Amino acid sequence: MSLSFSFEVKDTDLLGRVGVLRVGDKTLETPCLLPVIHPVNQIVPTHKLKEMGFRGLMTNSYIILSRRKEEVYRRGIHNMLGFDGIMMTDSGGYQVLEYGNLEVGYREIASFQASIGSDLAVTLDRPTGYPQSRRAAEDSVEYSLKNARATMREYRDSDTVWMGPVQGGLYVDLVTRSAVTLCKTGFEFLALGSPVQVMENYMFAELVKMIVATRKSVPYSLPLHLFGAGHPLTMALAVSLGCDTFDSASYILFARNGRYMTHAGVLRLDAMKYLPCSCPVCVKTSLKDLREADSRERTKLIATHNLYMLKEEIEACKEAIAEGRLWDLVEEKSTAHPRLHDAFVELSRHSGILVEGTPLLKDKGLMLRSVQDLERPELASAKRRLGSMMSRSSSGAILDSLWDSVPTGKGRRLVGSRSSFDTYRIHPVLGPYPAELDFIYPFTQVVAADDIEGRMSAKDAALRLMKLGYKSVKILPEGAMENTSNKVRSKRTRRGASPSLRSSSVRPRLLRHL
Amino acid sequence: MSLSFSFEVKDTDLLGRVGVLRVGDKTLETPCLLPVIHPVNQIVPTHKLKEMGFRGLMTNSYIILSRRKEEVYRRGIHNMLGFDGIMMTDSGGYQVLEYGNLEVGYREIASFQASIGSDLAVTLDRPTGYPQSRRAAEDSVEYSLKNARATMREYRDSDTVWMGPVQGGLYVDLVTRSAVTLCKTGFEFLALGSPVQVMENYMFAELVKMIVATRKSVPYSLPLHLFGAGHPLTMALAVSLGCDTFDSASYILFARNGRYMTHAGVLRLDAMKYLPCSCPVCVKTSLKDLREADSRERTKLIATHNLYMLKEEIEACKEAIAEGRLWDLVEEKSTAHPRLHDAFVELSRHSGILVEGTPLLKDKGLMLRSVQDLERPELASAKRRLGSMMSRSSSGAILDSLWDSVPTGKGRRLVGSRSSFDTYRIHPVLGPYPAELDFIYPFTQVVAADDIEGRMSAKDAALRLMKLGYKSVKILPEGAMENTSNKVRSKRTRRGASPSLRSSSVRPRLLRHL
């Protein structure tokens, strides 16, 4: 008998998605974090994790095998650990990395994981790690693939869902080889390895490349796990690139070192003066009490706080996906560190694949406040569509350069189609576009910062129109077209000239957003 | 008898500060928010506000005067409203704005506020509002100043602390006139008016100009209140410009309209699918329960949640000031909307005054990830100091262009002073600087994003050195100086050449930051 498995996608934005992972009769809403629990010394009890809303946990099969083997055979992993949700077990590959080769083979690990009732189990791998030579990286990939294929051959029908470990580290061609091979082997759920050291070294742009390489090699519908990525600042980034599940022990590892997570980064409790948090731990405990608690209690309190922070991050990602503003969330997070900014720059280079999951139509205006925003997938797909819509039907064009204050939504009629002019407006990124597209997302549903807005001059836009074959392009710098008339009147005041409401058309609908 | 008043500054960053405001025997730690409470229909009870940690509240004297006059004379404002912290009363000026001129004069308002026991009271003003003609703005300023002077003359010794209302709206010269005149009149606490409509219209850059105009006109030590600014996205901005206290009814006004605050903006409860929050309200109540609660209960729950969010924002500002990373917090918040980005750009134009409160030495590295960051006050003051340190003592200079990977902190000795060369390095913003400054903040205590790092080329830096009179400048692109020797060796690998840890010198010390 094999455990049934499915992944249903509900909402998408960029490559991120809200989905439901079904493993037998259990479900997980993704994106989701599976806190890593220690099979022997778990400081935050599993019933507390369940109460906090965690529906899946991760633990290490190797530690159980070496320290609680008989008990787990007798009781099963769920009963032994006191958790009835989804249990994922790591292969022990991380131990291989930490302590050198261990004397277990893929068979022992696989049959053990299946017997104890793991819902999700990783085949025995060897994490590539970082830094690593090309040769060693290749070896780790081949070793992991060999075990994965053998496990799939021999244990495919066991009562667990096998996850294929993607190795290769910073060598993206090896990552690609891993991912492609695992898919061919029949894995329906992959897990990208080796991000921990990459993240510890602040190489977030490299992390982006690793995830992109994986996502490009596998079907869009395939769920992807990212090992060990439990940092509040990288969660949205990883989600935006199509990582669906995460496991992490960061909540407890950080807590042991007195490191307190916030949405803007991790702080040292020792150095803090205030608690900028309202989670159940922080509303009940003062900073002083937290500092003076005995070591185990303090660790438990900070770990619990950290878990609340991570959970908030995940929920914020889900909400951002549902509302179509995941890009904005990733950008916000990227300001926390220049290396995260580098990662955001790297992400902005991949709008070609980010369009896959980005809705063509969004409720909210598109925000442009950085050069990276000019690469937004919403604009990339608009640009693609715009190409076919730029057709000339007259010999002359009117270019209404005041794109920013077009009073859309007020029933204004555009110049009639029998006019002797085609009418265009200037979008700060897309350039001139037919005025008929005013109501089509995202032509006027844009809010641009002042230093972005003037990017395309009326002159450049006019030159672009001339290339379409127009004999004349009339630029309307201060005026506008009025209702059904062709007369050009100067009815709009230039922005900034007096303290008046600017671009009333576009901004009020965004009030709700702020 | 007059109420004693003092303001003590504890920590500063940019123009923001953590301070203690003493009014009689009561204290407020600033920055702080005074939630506005309704004297007749207060949905979140005052004891709950106290329990949440709010030590000061604001209420409207005009509503009390018109609806609970006898009771408040009998019981006093604290007893009547059930709050023993600091009570601030507005003058009713806002009512003047909303409902036109009311039939009360400055005397009635002043004697009323003093009699009922307001700790902080605003003299009768007329908010300038927005949009407003120049003439009307002038009138509002003169009316407010006249009342302020008269109140100060007649009621200076009453048992309340008078706050001087700064009006003028977007006309910054009028704001300046207001602030200067109020200071001269003897006010020790000013309150900047009219931001509500400016903020509602997303004119955050204008808000920056208003606050800067005020701060430039008054002593650094003078505390400043900002009326009605209770938005989670603008709090850090206002704090960074030297606003110390805020009052706001936003928590309840937003709640009435089903608007739910988050750190990244305000969402509509109707449209939400997830609750990205762990405050006491949100851990106990599901989104469904929140939606289905009866109207008053729902308003109360959302209002309480909103207050927790605002309190977290304030605590985050305090922590950021204490840690010297307020600039970073403001920048992070500015990504939430292009108009906030505009405001951040405007703020970055004022590093001349932001240096006033910015410590010369910080524990944490300086983050550079945007062009605005190049205007950081830390760099502005370093640039000032650098000018006097660029003196030539040899005829030749060595320019070590690999600033980014200088292995500081490893006891490396620089080229001896008797060398025939002066040694320089390149800072991406400050340009060439004497290598002796490596250990002086912020020359190497910088983490720059890739798109910032290469801003100053070795060639440009060399040209700048030539202008100091050097006969030769030797550029060391790949090599470095070794210990006590003058020999140039190529010991460092070029960044990015292989997957190796880059700039190990600077980044590890920042690990704690992320």
Side-chain angles (χ1 to χ4, degrees):
Chain A
M1 178 189 79
S2 74
L3 207 52
S4 71
F5 177 76
S6 72
F7 180 57
E8 179 198 345
V9 171
K10 289 160 62 183
D11 275 314
T12 68
D13 197 23
L14 311 185
L15 286 182
R17 52 271 188 104
V18 175
V20 178
L21 210 56
R22 286 196 177 75
V23 184
D25 56 359
K26 297 171 188 166
T27 59
L28 267 188
E29 189 168 56
T30 66
C32 101
L33 174 75
L34 298 92
V36 172
I37 61 166
H38 196 284
V40 179
N41 177 27
Q42 175 57 20
I43 291 180
V44 182
T46 50
H47 69 82
K48 175 70 189 170
L49 294 170
K50 187 179 172 188
E51 183 195 310
M52 289 172 75
F54 291 102
R55 300 280 168 267
L57 301 180
M58 159 91 152
T59 194
N60 184 279
S61 58
Y62 179 76
I63 299 176
I64 301 179
L65 182 63
S66 54
R67 299 180 59 181
R68 296 182 80 175
K69 190 173 173 179
E70 284 176 28
E71 186 185 359
V72 78
Y73 273 126
R74 201 172 62 242
R75 300 175 60 186
I77 192 167
H78 294 88
N79 180 287
M80 185 178 87
L81 298 175
F83 186 76
D84 58 6
I86 287 180
M87 284 296 323
M88 170 174 171
T89 46
D90 191 359
S91 69
Y94 187 74
Q95 273 62 30
V96 175
L97 187 73
E98 288 277 296
Y99 312 116
N101 279 307
L102 298 170
E103 291 171 8
V104 287
Y106 74 90
R107 279 207 185 92
E108 189 171 357
I109 287 291
S111 70
F112 179 69
Q113 291 185 103
S115 320
I116 65 177
S118 296
D119 301 292
L120 298 169
V122 184
T123 60
L124 183 62
D125 60 344
R126 185 187 299 155
T128 306
Y130 169 83
Q132 191 59 283
S133 71
R134 168 98 199 169
R135 167 59 68 90
E138 282 167 354
D139 287 350
S140 71
V141 167
E142 296 314 321
Y143 173 86
S144 304
L145 288 178
K146 203 178 106 198
N147 285 336
R149 279 185 293 237
T151 305
M152 209 41 149
R153 203 164 47 232
E154 297 170 37
Y155 297 90
R156 184 191 289 267
D157 295 330
S158 63
D159 209 10
T160 196
V161 171
W162 295 111
M163 296 171 72
V166 179
Q167 295 297 344
L170 297 193
Y171 302 96
V172 289
D173 59 319
L174 298 182
V175 169
T176 300
R177 164 160 167 72
S178 274
V180 168
T181 310
L182 291 167
C183 274
K184 273 193 203 147
T185 310
F187 286 91
E188 293 177 273
F189 195 176
L190 301 192
L192 178 59
S194 306
V196 175
Q197 292 98 336
V198 173
M199 287 174 63
E200 280 174 358
N201 287 300
Y202 280 61
M203 299 166 74
F204 304 115
E206 311 299 323
L207 180 67
V208 170
K209 290 178 194 164
M210 288 165 65
I211 303 174
V212 167
T214 309
R215 269 288 34 137
K216 276 185 168 169
S217 314
V218 304
Y220 179 73
S221 59
L222 186 128
L224 180 63
H225 180 85
L226 183 63
F227 277 121
H231 198 292
L233 289 175
T234 54
M235 204 68 91
L237 179 70
V239 165
S240 75
L241 293 166
C243 296
D244 302 293
T245 57
F246 306 88
D247 70 280
S248 179
S250 60
Y251 71 101
I252 188 81
L253 298 177
F254 281 28
R256 282 211 188 101
N257 292 315
R259 296 180 73 201
Y260 177 99
M261 293 182 184
T262 76
H263 294 299
V266 180
L267 306 179
R268 294 204 74 82
L269 197 71
D270 291 347
M272 288 172 72
K273 292 190 176 180
Y274 309 93
L275 282 185
C277 178
S278 312
C279 84
V281 172
C282 299
V283 289
K284 272 187 221 136
T285 324
S286 72
L287 182 57
K288 187 166 170 285
D289 292 346
L290 211 50
R291 282 221 191 98
E292 291 172 2
D294 75 67
S295 162
R296 190 178 168 94
E297 178 65 12
R298 186 176 62 241
T299 299
K300 183 178 172 177
L301 290 169
I302 305 176
T304 308
H305 158 86
N306 287 347
L307 283 166
Y308 277 115
M309 285 302 99
L310 291 169
K311 189 149 188 303
E312 286 184 19
E313 279 301 318
I314 291 276
E315 297 302 304
C317 288
K318 283 153 72 174
E319 185 65 27
I321 291 170
E323 296 191 10
R325 49 176 181 74
L326 185 56
W327 177 279
D328 305 280
L329 180 62
V330 176
E331 181 156 12
E332 182 205 321
K333 291 284 161 186
S334 77
T335 56
H337 195 280
R339 297 280 87 79
L340 286 167
H341 174 80
D342 294 344
F344 184 59
V345 170
E346 180 61 32
L347 172 137
S348 74
R349 294 185 181 130
H350 299 283
S351 59
I353 65 160
L354 296 177
V355 293
E356 279 186 43
T358 305
L360 281 179
L361 189 65
K362 290 187 171 185
D363 285 343
K364 283 176 179 156
L366 205 60
M367 302 214 233
L368 306 177
R369 79 300 243 173
S370 67
V371 288
Q372 285 75 45
D373 287 349
L374 309 182
E375 308 300 325
R376 291 187 74 129
E378 297 93 340
L379 293 176
S381 66
K383 200 176 282 177
R384 222 177 272 173
R385 283 174 287 151
L386 185 59
S388 62
M389 290 162 161
M390 294 285 281
S391 66
R392 191 172 59 80
S393 63
S394 313
S395 63
I398 289 180
L399 185 60
D400 186 358
S401 66
L402 283 189
W403 161 83
D404 184 46
S405 48
V406 174
T408 54
K410 287 190 175 168
R412 193 171 75 112
R413 281 204 275 154
L414 299 167
V415 176
S417 58
R418 265 166 296 175
S419 151
S420 55
F421 296 102
D422 293 343
T423 312
Y424 290 88
R425 292 194 221 289
I426 309 178
H427 185 284
V429 180
L430 302 172
Y433 67 89
E436 291 80 2
L437 298 182
D438 263 0
F439 298 91
I440 307 295
Y441 183 87
F443 288 91
T444 51
Q445 294 76 1
V446 173
V447 207
D450 282 344
D451 51 7
I452 295 291
E453 211 162 84
R455 281 185 73 87
M456 164 125 354
S457 69
K459 202 179 148 198
D460 288 345
L463 286 173
R464 211 188 270 191
L465 289 176
M466 295 299 272
K467 285 191 186 147
L468 290 178
Y470 286 107
K471 298 227 156 50
S472 74
V473 177
K474 186 173 176 57
I475 298 173
L476 305 185
E478 303 271 340
M481 285 145 297
E482 198 72 61
N483 295 334
T484 51
S485 137
N486 276 346
K487 265 186 291 177
V488 173
R489 293 195 224 151
S490 181
K491 73 161 189 159
R492 284 180 255 151
T493 53
R494 195 80 189 134
R495 41 176 308 176
S498 71
S500 67
L501 178 60
R502 302 182 331 201
S503 34
S504 55
S505 57
V506 180
R507 283 157 196 164
R509 71 161 64 193
L510 288 160
L511 277 170
R512 79 185 75 166
H513 195 108
L514 188 71
Chain B
M1 179 187 83
S2 74
L3 207 52
S4 70
F5 178 75
S6 71
F7 181 56
E8 180 198 345
V9 171
K10 288 159 63 182
D11 275 314
T12 68
D13 197 23
L14 311 184
L15 287 182
R17 54 270 188 103
V18 175
V20 178
L21 209 57
R22 286 196 176 78
V23 184
D25 56 0
K26 296 170 188 167
T27 59
L28 267 188
E29 190 168 55
T30 65
C32 102
L33 173 75
L34 298 93
V36 171
I37 61 165
H38 196 284
V40 179
N41 178 26
Q42 175 57 20
I43 291 181
V44 182
T46 50
H47 69 81
K48 175 72 189 169
L49 294 170
K50 187 179 171 186
E51 182 195 310
M52 290 172 76
F54 292 101
R55 299 281 168 264
L57 301 180
M58 159 89 151
T59 194
N60 184 279
S61 58
Y62 179 76
I63 299 176
I64 301 180
L65 182 63
S66 54
R67 298 180 60 180
R68 296 182 82 175
K69 189 173 172 180
E70 284 175 29
E71 187 186 358
V72 78
Y73 273 126
R74 201 172 62 242
R75 299 175 61 186
I77 192 167
H78 294 87
N79 179 286
M80 186 178 87
L81 297 175
F83 186 76
D84 58 6
I86 287 180
M87 283 298 323
M88 170 174 171
T89 46
D90 191 358
S91 69
Y94 187 74
Q95 273 62 31
V96 176
L97 186 74
E98 289 277 296
Y99 310 116
N101 280 306
L102 298 171
E103 290 169 7
V104 286
Y106 73 91
R107 278 207 186 94
E108 190 171 355
I109 287 291
S111 69
F112 179 68
Q113 291 185 102
S115 319
I116 65 177
S118 296
D119 300 293
L120 297 169
V122 184
T123 60
L124 183 62
D125 60 344
R126 185 187 298 155
T128 306
Y130 169 83
Q132 191 59 285
S133 70
R134 169 97 198 170
R135 167 57 69 89
E138 281 167 355
D139 287 350
S140 71
V141 167
E142 297 313 320
Y143 173 87
S144 304
L145 286 179
K146 201 177 108 198
N147 285 335
R149 277 186 294 236
T151 305
M152 209 42 150
R153 201 164 49 230
E154 297 171 37
Y155 297 90
R156 184 190 291 267
D157 294 331
S158 63
D159 209 9
T160 195
V161 171
W162 294 110
M163 297 171 73
V166 179
Q167 295 297 346
L170 297 193
Y171 302 96
V172 289
D173 60 319
L174 297 182
V175 169
T176 300
R177 165 161 165 70
S178 274
V180 168
T181 310
L182 291 166
C183 274
K184 273 193 203 147
T185 310
F187 286 91
E188 294 176 275
F189 195 177
L190 301 193
L192 178 59
S194 306
V196 176
Q197 292 97 336
V198 173
M199 287 173 64
E200 280 173 359
N201 286 300
Y202 281 62
M203 300 166 74
F204 304 116
E206 311 298 324
L207 180 67
V208 170
K209 289 178 193 164
M210 288 166 65
I211 303 174
V212 167
T214 309
R215 270 287 35 137
K216 276 186 169 169
S217 314
V218 305
Y220 179 73
S221 58
L222 187 128
L224 179 63
H225 181 85
L226 183 64
F227 278 120
H231 199 291
L233 288 176
T234 53
M235 205 69 91
L237 179 70
V239 165
S240 75
L241 294 167
C243 296
D244 302 293
T245 56
F246 306 88
D247 70 281
S248 180
S250 60
Y251 71 102
I252 188 82
L253 299 177
F254 282 29
R256 283 213 188 100
N257 293 315
R259 297 179 71 200
Y260 176 98
M261 293 182 184
T262 77
H263 294 298
V266 180
L267 307 179
R268 294 205 74 83
L269 196 71
D270 291 348
M272 288 172 71
K273 292 190 177 179
Y274 309 93
L275 282 186
C277 177
S278 314
C279 84
V281 172
C282 299
V283 288
K284 272 188 223 137
T285 324
S286 71
L287 183 57
K288 186 164 171 287
D289 292 345
L290 211 49
R291 281 221 192 98
E292 291 171 2
D294 76 68
S295 162
R296 190 178 168 94
E297 178 65 12
R298 186 175 62 239
T299 299
K300 183 178 171 178
L301 290 170
I302 305 175
T304 307
H305 158 85
N306 286 347
L307 282 167
Y308 277 115
M309 284 302 99
L310 291 169
K311 190 151 187 302
E312 285 184 20
E313 279 302 317
I314 291 278
E315 297 303 304
C317 287
K318 283 152 73 175
E319 186 65 27
I321 291 170
E323 296 192 11
R325 48 178 182 74
L326 185 56
W327 176 280
D328 305 281
L329 180 62
V330 176
E331 182 156 10
E332 182 205 321
K333 291 284 162 186
S334 78
T335 56
H337 196 281
R339 295 281 86 80
L340 285 167
H341 174 80
D342 294 344
F344 184 59
V345 171
E346 180 61 33
L347 173 136
S348 74
R349 294 185 181 129
H350 299 283
S351 59
I353 65 161
L354 296 177
V355 293
E356 279 186 43
T358 305
L360 282 179
L361 189 66
K362 290 186 171 186
D363 284 344
K364 284 175 179 156
L366 205 60
M367 302 213 234
L368 305 178
R369 78 301 241 174
S370 67
V371 288
Q372 285 75 45
D373 287 349
L374 309 182
E375 308 301 325
R376 290 187 74 128
E378 297 92 339
L379 294 176
S381 66
K383 201 176 284 179
R384 222 177 272 171
R385 282 174 289 150
L386 185 58
S388 62
M389 290 162 162
M390 293 286 281
S391 66
R392 189 173 59 81
S393 63
S394 313
S395 62
I398 289 180
L399 185 60
D400 187 357
S401 67
L402 282 189
W403 161 81
D404 185 45
S405 49
V406 174
T408 54
K410 285 189 176 170
R412 192 169 76 113
R413 279 205 275 155
L414 300 168
V415 176
S417 58
R418 266 166 298 176
S419 151
S420 55
F421 296 102
D422 294 342
T423 312
Y424 289 88
R425 292 194 220 290
I426 309 178
H427 185 284
V429 180
L430 302 172
Y433 67 89
E436 290 82 1
L437 298 183
D438 263 0
F439 297 92
I440 307 296
Y441 183 87
F443 288 92
T444 52
Q445 294 77 1
V446 173
V447 207
D450 283 344
D451 51 7
I452 295 292
E453 213 162 82
R455 282 184 72 87
M456 164 125 354
S457 70
K459 202 178 147 200
D460 288 343
L463 286 172
R464 212 188 268 192
L465 288 176
M466 295 300 271
K467 284 191 187 146
L468 289 177
Y470 286 107
K471 298 227 158 46
S472 74
V473 177
K474 186 173 175 59
I475 298 173
L476 305 186
E478 303 270 342
M481 286 146 298
E482 198 72 61
N483 295 335
T484 52
S485 138
N486 276 346
K487 266 187 289 177
V488 173
R489 294 196 223 150
S490 181
K491 74 164 188 154
R492 283 180 255 153
T493 53
R494 196 77 190 137
R495 42 175 307 177
S498 70
S500 66
L501 179 58
R502 303 183 328 201
S503 32
S504 56
S505 57
V506 181
R507 282 156 195 165
R509 72 162 64 192
L510 287 160
L511 276 169
R512 80 186 74 168
H513 195 107
L514 189 70

